[in-house]
Amino acid sequence: MAKLEVQGYRGTRDFYPEEFRKRDQIYSSLKATLKSFGYEEYAGPLVEPLELYASKSSEEIVSKQLYSFVDRGNRQIAIRPEMTPTLARMVAAKNASLVKPLRWFSIPQCMRYERPQRGRLREFDQLNVDIFGGNSVDEDIEVLQLVVKILDNLGATPNMYEVRINHRKILNELLYSHLKFSHNLQRELIREIDRRDKISKEEFELNLKNLGASENQIESLQCFFNSFETQTLPEFPEFQKAWKEVQLVLQVLKDLGISTVKFNPTIMRGFDYYTGLVFEVFDKHPQNNRAMFGGGRYDNLIEAFGSDSLSGIGFGAGDVPLIHFCESHGLLKDENKPLDVVVCRFSENDRTQSFVLAEILRAQQLNIENSVSDSKFGKQIQSAEKRGATCVAFRGEEEVQKNEFCVKFLKTGEQKNYLFSEVGALEFKKALKEF
Amino acid sequence: MAKLEVQGYRGTRDFYPEEFRKRDQIYSSLKATLKSFGYEEYAGPLVEPLELYASKSSEEIVSKQLYSFVDRGNRQIAIRPEMTPTLARMVAAKNASLVKPLRWFSIPQCMRYERPQRGRLREFDQLNVDIFGGNSVDEDIEVLQLVVKILDNLGATPNMYEVRINHRKILNELLYSHLKFSHNLQRELIREIDRRDKISKEEFELNLKNLGASENQIESLQCFFNSFETQTLPEFPEFQKAWKEVQLVLQVLKDLGISTVKFNPTIMRGFDYYTGLVFEVFDKHPQNNRAMFGGGRYDNLIEAFGSDSLSGIGFGAGDVPLIHFCESHGLLKDENKPLDVVVCRFSENDRTQSFVLAEILRAQQLNIENSVSDSKFGKQIQSAEKRGATCVAFRGEEEVQKNEFCVKFLKTGEQKNYLFSEVGALEFKKALKEF
């Protein structure tokens, strides 16, 4: 038989314990922050009927990135490329009985068929956070505050990132009511405006011209993007309303001492379903320097299920750019395996007493490895050092006679004996804490 | 457009927050126990190349249960039906640099195409625990001790379950060396012995007869199963060695005060790859009364990758029977959402100060919801009760004047004012802890 490959499927990752601990550090922080805001965790299936994504996901995902296939019972299903369709299905199923506002989060494993590159893989975890059914301005403020808090609690400082916000209605009113662009150009316009900050002024204007924009339209648009703060803004009521909402959100955030959220009229967030505030979190590290994640407000989460419309705001943050962010900015503590003691033994004859010793120490809520090895004592100690243990514990002839156990602290070489009992274990635990 | 179904794919589950908390309670306990024995968490891809499973999984899984398909690049892949093949691949990839013994665990989401029924779904999580590269008897003892500890820490008592152990070599020697059964009958014999405890004596003996067993063979086998403890056992060295190993394992467990592990010669654990100790954990609840999970010792984890053989022992425990076990025996605490305070407000004008109040309280590591609602004050309090909060906090005119905030404990109706500052928040936290 041919040898099997040790390499996994392209665009996936193996998390060895060391890598796992890194990601777990991040997830623990995320979860604690979310819970401190009253968000609750939920989970859903790895696969859904294909029609759910066909109806709720973007056309790009469905036609190019979906892992879809036919099951053994001839049902069309797909591995989830994102969580929102499942969220919508779950909320629609129990909408009437769920007390609003809902604050929910999940960290599902997802898959998209993409070209693997820095910050983008085929398989990834995606933190999904949503609040819906409450007062929209308050929800908008809370989600932005939460985003900042998540990054703060990961150890980020304001120079490391920026949250850029915009409002779909501001752009819509400007483009279609004020500048009279054709609605047919929506997709193309969103794409070009989204790219504006990444290309030259000339290229941006040429692209718009190629879409059929007049010089007047282009000039007005540029003028708005460049100096919206000082300009006389269009008088359309919808525009003014959205503009005031954005100002209010920014004011409350300022009052909360948050300085990293800024208005930026070119933030588009491609997806069609956003209807109000949209935002993107930028990683300012020169190695990354790109949108880390983002989200926005939507109105029609569960309409496709025949339910009333339900408005909310949410975001999805992939683990890949999040890990890059934390690594690039040096936010990850180099945490070792949490191992307090390795219990060693002199020979196989000590088997039972070493198992018992391990058990007595474990009862003190300590993490204990039993060396389960008959190699030489010195080797067992070396191995305990490699494994990152704080100390080794054992019972030689002398200790057995005195009904004690001996502990050797690996860093200092210090040795101390304790009673071989709960009392002794407790005393040792205190010494360990002070160590 | 047709209405979308709110029902997910057959054999999968939606974990609403309440359900999620239940499972999370179980997982937190599992993880803490595993870490207390020095086990480290790892994770791997949702999909693997088909050939990995074709080579490492059982024939039944591959031919009948695998969710396999062709990706957009024409690669044959499959959703993981179990974790062991990924574990083997990961260990083989870095075998030389991994310090033995390895103690690893993972809780992957898996899929198998099966007929959904009680205790069995198409999508499930499976706790995988393995230790390898150490002294085999010690590893066997540790894993059995760990299994018992996992159940103990979930709140189980010895009357709720039994761990049944056997040794592959005992049966192999008995069947082929002693009773001279043909090796060709291996599969069928394993299946029949596995079923022995579930069917009548007559049916068992008839089944063996139909396989071509002589009366003598059948009688000897029955005699061994019924009275192995008092019998003169075969003198074959391999048999005697395995028999002594089992006795030793049971003796040390007894010395550790463990009474729930018993020898049972009919435990087979279908899979071919087990080579030594095998075990099954039985749920004794009348509603379940079946094998909850099991595992065993294997020798050839990474040989298929062209590596040296690596021996270890491990088990896989699905979340579905584990949850049933905990539910049937009443082990799940009815944990509410951990919510300390809902911050209420009298009107939209109080927006900023309620956001600030929430933030001050959150800084005390409390879980705080901001009501983000402009409904009447009484309604906000009712809603806070429904959400399971311990108290509500707010600032009326009086509190603002005195630079304070007011807390109302929902159970007693008691109200108390605190300084609107870190000092006040700290004082409140103390009161909350004592409440």
Side-chain angles (χ1 to χ4, degrees), chain A residues 172-301:
Chain A
N172 285 348
E173 286 296 306
L174 188 77
L175 292 174
Y176 312 116
S177 306
H178 188 55
L179 300 179
K180 312 283 183 202
F181 275 100
S182 158
H183 274 283
N184 297 334
L185 288 176
Q186 196 175 4
R187 273 193 171 272
E188 289 78 5
L189 282 170
I190 287 178
R191 198 183 54 224
E192 293 310 330
I193 295 171
D194 210 19
R195 288 169 58 193
R196 181 178 179 272
D197 285 356
K198 292 173 203 123
I199 57 181
S200 71
K201 177 177 178 292
E202 290 69 29
E203 200 180 339
F204 175 68
E205 294 183 355
L206 183 65
N207 290 347
L208 286 183
K209 207 172 159 188
N210 289 341
L211 287 177
S214 70
E215 285 200 9
N216 204 357
Q217 283 177 317
I218 294 174
E219 203 194 314
S220 298
L221 201 57
Q222 287 284 44
C223 189
F224 176 74
F225 288 149
N226 291 328
S227 55
F228 59 89
E229 279 148 325
T230 55
Q231 258 194 84
T232 315
L233 296 167
E235 282 299 331
F236 304 101
E238 283 292 307
F239 182 100
Q240 288 294 339
K241 195 175 157 234
W243 183 251
K244 274 183 192 141
E245 262 180 42
V246 168
Q247 298 308 312
L248 177 57
V249 166
L250 288 171
Q251 184 56 50
V252 177
L253 291 173
K254 211 177 139 196
D255 293 341
L256 285 166
I258 292 170
S259 61
T260 42
V261 180
K262 308 245 163 79
F263 179 68
N264 182 323
T266 66
I267 296 300
M268 300 306 290
R269 299 298 301 163
F271 296 101
D272 294 328
Y273 60 68
Y274 292 124
T275 52
L277 190 95
V278 287
F279 67 94
E280 261 177 15
V281 183
F282 271 74
D283 182 346
K284 287 160 99 174
H285 196 281
Q287 227 179 311
N288 302 325
N289 199 21
R290 57 173 168 68
M292 179 160 48
F293 63 89
R297 170 160 292 279
Y298 46 80
D299 278 335
N300 47 2
L301 183 69

Side-chain angles (χ1 to χ4, degrees), chain B residues 338-354:
Chain B
L339 181 60
D340 299 306
V341 183
V342 171
V343 172
C344 299
R345 69 186 184 198
F346 291 98
S347 83
E348 225 181 311
N349 297 333
D350 303 338
R351 171 175 285 135
T352 298
Q353 70 181 27
S354 65

Side-chain angles (χ1 to χ4, degrees), chain A residues 342 344 371 373-387 392, chain B residues 99-100:
Chain A
V342 171
C344 299
S371 87
S373 161
D374 293 319
S375 56
K376 290 218 175 100
F377 200 72
K379 275 221 161 173
Q380 290 181 50
I381 291 183
Q382 274 173 24
S383 162
E385 275 167 345
K386 266 194 213 161
R387 300 171 92 75
V392 296
Chain B
V99 184
K100 310 289 181 318

Side-chain angles (χ1 to χ4, degrees), chain B residues 399-416:
Chain B
E399 282 81 18
V400 173
Q401 256 176 15
K402 292 186 182 165
N403 198 36
E404 294 180 343
F405 66 95
C406 181
V407 172
K408 183 189 173 97
F409 289 86
L410 292 173
K411 235 184 200 160
T412 59
E414 190 194 335
Q415 273 188 219
K416 197 168 183 267

Side-chain angles (χ1 to χ4, degrees), chain A residues 1-9 12-17 20-21 23-24 35-38 40-49 51-52 55-56 62-67 69 71-73 75 77 79-80 89-94 99-101 103-104 109 111 113 122-123 134-135 137-138 141-142 145 149 248 252 255-256 304-306 337 339 345 351-352 355-356 359 362 366-370 372 374 386-387, chain B residues 1-9 12-17 20-21 23-24 35-38 40-49 51-52 55-56 62-67 69 71-73 75 77 79-80 89-90 92-94 99-101 103-104 109 111 113 122-123 134-135 137-138 141-142 145 149 248 252 255-256 304-306 337 339 345 351-352 355-356 359 362 366-370 372 374 386-387:
Chain A
M1 201 169 57
K3 242 173 57 173
L4 282 171
E5 285 294 326
V6 294
Q7 191 66 42
Y9 175 63
T12 67
R13 290 165 294 175
D14 294 332
F15 284 88
Y16 288 83
F20 190 94
R21 278 200 300 276
R23 193 172 67 168
D24 202 39
K35 286 177 185 171
S36 80
F37 277 76
E40 301 182 89
E41 195 162 357
Y42 67 99
L46 211 52
V47 299
E48 294 274 8
E51 67 240 39
L52 181 66
S55 161
K56 298 286 300 176
V62 176
S63 69
K64 292 192 191 143
Q65 302 174 347
L66 208 57
Y67 282 86
F69 59 100
D71 83 355
R72 288 168 193 256
R75 295 170 203 87
I77 56 176
I79 299 177
R80 65 181 162 216
R89 187 179 58 66
M90 286 174 63
V91 172
K94 298 203 176 178
V99 185
K100 310 288 180 321
R103 289 177 171 89
W104 280 15
Q109 213 170 354
M111 288 197 75
Y113 193 76
R122 288 188 177 162
E123 182 201 54
N135 181 318
V137 174
D138 288 298
I141 297 167
E142 178 173 305
Q145 183 197 12
K149 201 65 175 214
L248 177 57
V252 177
D255 293 341
L256 285 166
F305 299 90
K337 172 179 175 179
L339 181 59
R345 70 186 183 198
R351 173 176 284 135
T352 299
F355 267 99
V356 174
E359 203 38 38
R362 218 169 264 136
L366 297 174
N367 293 334
I368 311 294
E369 253 188 40
N370 203 335
V372 299
D374 293 319
K386 266 194 213 161
R387 300 171 92 75
Chain B
M1 202 169 56
K3 242 173 59 175
L4 281 172
E5 285 292 327
V6 294
Q7 191 65 44
Y9 174 64
T12 67
R13 290 165 295 175
D14 294 333
F15 284 88
Y16 288 84
F20 190 95
R21 278 200 299 275
R23 194 173 66 170
D24 202 39
K35 285 178 185 169
S36 80
F37 277 76
E40 300 181 90
E41 196 163 356
Y42 68 99
L46 213 50
V47 299
E48 293 275 7
E51 69 239 38
L52 181 66
S55 160
K56 298 286 298 177
V62 176
S63 68
K64 293 191 190 145
Q65 302 173 347
L66 208 57
Y67 281 85
F69 58 98
D71 81 356
R72 289 170 193 255
R75 296 170 203 88
I77 57 177
I79 300 177
R80 65 181 162 216
R89 185 179 58 66
M90 285 174 64
K94 298 204 176 176
V99 184
K100 310 289 181 318
R103 288 176 172 90
W104 279 15
Q109 213 170 355
M111 288 196 77
Y113 192 76
R122 287 187 177 162
E123 182 201 55
N135 180 317
V137 175
D138 288 297
I141 297 168
E142 178 173 306
Q145 182 196 13
K149 201 65 176 213
L248 177 58
V252 176
D255 294 341
L256 285 166
F305 299 90
K337 172 178 173 180
L339 181 60
R345 69 186 184 198
R351 171 175 285 135
T352 298
F355 267 98
V356 174
E359 204 38 40
R362 217 169 264 135
L366 297 175
N367 293 335
I368 310 294
E369 255 188 41
N370 203 336
V372 298
D374 292 319
K386 267 194 212 159
R387 300 171 92 77

